[in-house]
Amino acid sequence: DAMVIQNPRYQVTQFGKPVTLSCSQTLNHNVMYWYQQKSSQAPKLLFHYYDKDFNNEADTPDNFQSRRPNTSFCFLDIRSPGLGDAAMYLCATSRVKVKEKLFFGSGTQLSVL
Amino acid sequence: AQKVTQAQTEISVVEKEDVTLDCVYETRDTTYYLFWYKQPPSGELVFLIRRNSFDEQNEISGRYSWNFQKSTSSFNFTITASQVVDSAVYFCALSEAQGNDYKLSFGAGTTVTVRA
């Protein structure tokens, strides 16, 4: 059974049109992460939540926002997607911070037209 | 500076061949953690192994084995008798302390293609 679920699997949006990607987990983990992965590249951390504490990476554009309304759900909002934001977006969880293994969802492949 | 270097971008082998993926890391910490993840075509990264810096014992899990050598800052991964299902991108990653937090750095990945 999937423990980290991302919806949708594929998302198409228009240039400049806000889009929200969702992630849910059944593991009751404290930490939830959002990674961006472009083709043939390593995943790049955008931000993470430790419980309700939001931690933004220094180089994450302001265009990217996140919400975590409760333990189980986390959302990635892209306010004005550009062509360069087309990528796979991966959600991950861990019980504590990253010295333990991460559990990843299957990702959402975002296309920007 | 690159924290984790995976020298091989792509490796192609024929089924039943052994394949070794190299991983070299860089850290000043004495306590750190090393990981390998597998990303099949479906996209989900799957955890394979975690090793802490104080445990240099090599590990074997079925056809997978890992060789951790602190002296050379390497954490290499070998797939023995490869199978088509092993075709995936493999990422090595390093977790090290940054203040009160831990930072995970991924290598660029090695794409393994196993041909029948």
Side-chain angles (χ1 to χ4, degrees):
Chain A
D1 291 334
M3 296 177 286
V4 182
I5 302 163
Q6 291 188 243
N7 286 305
R9 183 74 175 89
Y10 299 94
Q11 177 75 56
V12 181
T13 191
Q14 292 180 338
F15 183 94
K17 184 175 181 181
V19 65
T20 294
L21 310 181
S22 71
C23 176
S24 63
Q25 56 136 338
T26 60
L27 297 162
N28 205 35
H29 281 172
N30 294 317
V31 195
M32 294 187 77
Y33 309 83
W34 279 104
Y35 284 86
Q36 179 194 63
Q37 186 180 25
K38 296 189 176 180
S39 182
S40 303
Q41 295 184 19
K44 177 181 180 296
L45 182 64
L46 295 173
F47 26 59
H48 73 275
Y49 274 95
Y50 187 94
D51 290 332
K52 295 184 178 181
D53 292 335
F54 178 70
N55 298 271
N56 199 27
E57 292 299 298
D59 57 354
T60 297
D62 292 340
N63 197 27
F64 291 86
Q65 304 284 322
S66 186
R67 296 170 284 134
R68 189 179 185 185
N70 53 53
T71 301
S72 301
F73 286 87
C74 195
F75 300 97
L76 169 61
D77 301 308
I78 308 177
R79 292 192 295 190
S80 182
L83 298 179
D85 297 328
M88 173 74 85
Y89 290 88
L90 296 163
C91 175
T93 73
S94 65
R95 192 172 58 87
V96 293
K97 291 197 177 181
V98 291
K99 64 179 180 177
E100 292 196 359
K101 66 180 181 181
L102 301 184
F103 292 79
F104 282 87
S106 297
T108 294
Q109 184 66 52
L110 178 68
S111 299
V112 181
L113 304 180
Chain B
Q2 191 75 7
K3 292 280 189 178
V4 179
T5 301
Q6 294 182 249
Q8 304 122 319
T9 304
E10 295 184 24
I11 301 177
S12 181
V13 297
V14 177
E15 228 177 359
K16 297 184 183 177
E17 286 185 7
D18 297 347
V19 57
T20 295
L21 285 64
D22 298 332
C23 174
V24 173
Y25 62 91
E26 180 184 332
T27 181
R28 296 179 183 176
D29 289 355
T30 55
T31 302
Y32 53 89
Y33 302 84
L34 295 163
F35 300 82
W36 277 96
Y37 285 88
K38 173 183 179 181
Q39 188 175 36
S42 60
E44 175 181 346
L45 274 89
V46 177
F47 166 82
L48 295 178
I49 190 171
R50 169 184 179 265
R51 174 68 75 232
N52 75 56
S53 53
F54 299 106
D55 182 5
E56 282 196 77
Q57 193 171 11
N58 291 329
E59 182 159 337
I60 298 175
S61 176
R63 296 183 296 104
Y64 294 170
S65 62
W66 292 269
N67 184 334
F68 177 28
Q69 292 195 342
K70 286 180 75 170
S71 60
T72 56
S73 296
S74 65
F75 187 42
N76 297 338
F77 171 34
T78 297
I79 303 172
T80 302
S82 60
Q83 299 176 3
V84 172
V85 293
D86 297 325
S87 297
V89 183
Y90 291 86
F91 291 97
C92 181
L94 165 71
S95 176
E96 55 184 341
Q98 276 198 355
N100 294 324
D101 206 345
Y102 273 85
K103 184 85 170 180
L104 184 67
S105 301
F106 282 93
T110 298
T111 300
V112 173
T113 302
V114 182
R115 308 186 308 276

